[in-house]
């Protein structure tokens, strides 16, 4: 039996900014339907990797293919989005003055454009799809409120809903739990897990409680200095010596540091 094609194949990617190598010989293979978590210290190149996939930034070298047939390096950002690759940025980017419903309608309509979407009667099928998405993201009771009035976590869910409305096959989600309460974070984890399978999701995240929640039985990738340091189950990754050294260890050492003792070195003067 032949294997399923990878939904995303990255091979030997490199990207420098003014001499600083943000992405270094990065190869990454993603199966259809995966929920893959990517972790790594600040500056590891995580967001830059997403920028390369979406065409926002171009690599200096390497290959980037979608479903093993579309060469992403030959397409612009808009064409990449049309292929079914959706991106959620770290900070929510919803239309705050429009209602939750209108935000979803705009994403659903896509190329139809802002004004014609808002001022033309919606088709029953569109209404139905928006209702479904509202239920999935648990915002049915906020449908006719302005997006700007939503709590931070709810804005993030709306944005995930907008990726669903766009019908993204591959959803790239950058630090969804940032700024969320524990309760919102947990619900976000449940939402992403419920979407994986029919869709493929890459989640970049720092919050290790959240990472453990969504990565049970799945693969985690650790980025460091623009390349892959380690890949595997969360337990394998958290026990990897190199990961402990560059990432988790550094954090726990920082936490273990005793409270500042301003006088400690004064005798040395
Ligand atoms: P992460 O998301 O893992 O924290 P980033 O991908 O945002 O890391 O950044 C990786 C490195 O590349 C950082 O040192 C950052 O300053 C640098 N970088 C990212 N984008 C740009 C850019 N457009 N211009 C210059 N430097 C950049
Ligand atoms: Mg980032």
């Amino acid at each position: 039996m032949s294997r399923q094609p990878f939904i995303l194949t990255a091979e030997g990617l490199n990207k420098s900014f003014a001499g600083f190598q943000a992405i270094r010989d990065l190869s990454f293979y993603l199966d259809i339907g995966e929920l893959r978590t990517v972790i790594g210290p600040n500056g590891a190149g995580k967001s830059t990797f997403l920028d390369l996939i979406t065409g926002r930034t171009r690599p200096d070298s390497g290959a980037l293919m979608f479903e093993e047939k579309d060469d992403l390096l030959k397409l612009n950002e808009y064409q990449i989005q049309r292929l079914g690759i959706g991106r959620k940025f770290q900070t929510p980017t919803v239309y705050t003055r429009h209602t939750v419903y209108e935000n979803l309608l705009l994403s659903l309509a896509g190329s139809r454009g802002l004004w014609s979407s808002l001022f033309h009667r919606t088709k029953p099928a569109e209404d139905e799809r928006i209702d479904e998405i509202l239920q999935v993201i648990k915002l049915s009771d906020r449908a006719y409120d302005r997006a700007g009035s939503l709590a931070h976590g709810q804005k993030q869910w709306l944005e995930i809903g907008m990726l669903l409305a766009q019908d993204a096959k591959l959803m790239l989600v950058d630090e969804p739990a940032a700024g969320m309460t524990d309760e919102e974070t947990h619900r976000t984890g449940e939402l992403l897990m419920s979407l994986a399978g029919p869709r493929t999701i890459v989640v970049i995240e720092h919050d290790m409680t959240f990472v453990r929640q969504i990565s049970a039985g799945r693969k985690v990738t650790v980025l460091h200095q623009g390349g892959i340091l380690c890949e595997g189950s969360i337990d394998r990754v958290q026990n990897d010596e190199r990961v402990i050294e560059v990432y988790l260890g550094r954090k726990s050492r920082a936490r273990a540091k005793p409270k500042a003792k301003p006088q400690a070195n004064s005798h040395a003067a």
Side-chain angles (χ1 to χ4, degrees):
M1 252 176 49
S2 64
R3 67 166 177 84
Q4 287 260 76
F6 292 117
I7 191 163
L8 186 77
T9 317
E11 287 181 325
L13 287 178
N14 287 286
K15 177 68 190 177
S16 294
F17 296 107
F20 174 79
Q21 198 161 359
I23 296 291
R24 188 188 305 267
D25 197 25
L26 176 67
S27 296
F28 179 91
Y29 305 87
L30 190 65
D31 279 322
I32 295 171
E34 266 195 72
L35 169 55
R36 177 79 64 94
T37 309
V38 177
I39 64 173
N42 266 328
K46 304 181 298 295
S47 298
T48 304
F49 179 42
L50 299 192
D51 290 341
L52 294 177
I53 298 169
T54 58
R56 195 171 196 237
T57 301
R58 294 295 174 182
D60 303 324
S61 59
L64 203 43
M65 302 288 291
F66 186 63
E67 297 179 327
E68 297 185 24
K69 58 180 165 52
D70 294 295
D71 183 350
L72 297 180
L73 301 184
K74 292 199 173 123
L75 303 175
N76 65 31
E77 275 190 271
Y78 176 70
Q79 292 167 320
I80 291 172
Q81 189 180 321
R82 290 295 300 266
L83 273 183
I85 300 182
R87 162 95 174 261
K88 206 200 87 44
F89 286 92
Q90 243 163 286
T91 41
T93 50
V94 298
Y95 297 99
T96 54
R97 293 154 69 96
H98 287 291
T99 66
V100 169
Y101 179 94
E102 286 166 347
N103 271 273
L104 291 170
L105 179 61
L106 290 169
S107 298
L108 192 67
S111 56
R112 214 205 300 158
L114 191 103
W115 298 110
S116 70
S117 317
L118 292 180
F119 295 110
H120 285 77
R121 191 180 287 274
T122 52
K123 301 185 195 100
E126 287 179 326
D127 259 335
E128 217 171 281
R129 180 68 189 131
I130 292 174
D131 283 343
E132 275 171 25
I133 294 170
L134 284 167
Q135 282 178 31
V136 170
I137 61 175
K138 298 198 163 66
L139 288 179
S140 301
D141 58 338
R142 304 297 304 271
Y144 302 105
D145 294 334
R146 282 188 181 200
S149 73
L150 296 177
H152 173 77
Q154 293 173 321
K155 280 185 193 141
Q156 302 271 28
W157 300 332
L158 173 55
E159 237 195 326
I160 291 170
M162 289 161 75
L163 295 182
L164 295 175
Q166 275 172 38
D167 208 18
K169 291 191 224 176
L170 172 58
M171 297 174 41
L172 309 171
V173 185
D174 202 347
E175 297 197 26
M180 282 190 178
T181 64
D182 290 349
E183 163 76 19
E184 287 173 334
T185 301
H186 188 77
R187 284 180 63 172
T188 304
E190 298 200 319
L191 172 59
L192 293 172
M193 288 191 287
S194 76
L195 299 176
R199 296 169 199 278
T200 310
I201 310 177
V202 175
V203 183
I204 286 176
E205 195 44 66
H206 273 297
D207 179 333
M208 287 310 288
T209 308
F210 179 69
V211 171
R212 290 203 72 90
Q213 180 197 352
I214 62 174
S215 65
R218 300 188 169 96
K219 202 190 266 186
V220 174
T221 298
V222 185
L223 269 190
H224 176 55
Q225 295 179 348
I228 291 181
L229 184 68
C230 174
E231 219 165 53
S233 71
I234 184 66
D235 287 323
R236 189 178 144 204
V237 157
Q238 281 195 307
N239 288 313
D240 186 286
E241 294 279 316
R242 296 161 303 169
V243 176
I244 292 167
E245 182 54 33
V246 307
Y247 180 53
L248 306 161
R250 188 159 66 190
K251 265 197 159 167
S252 57
R253 271 206 299 280
R255 236 184 273 121
K257 232 165 50 180
K259 286 257 180 285
K261 286 188 208 148
Q263 261 73 60
N265 292 325
S266 57
H267 67 277

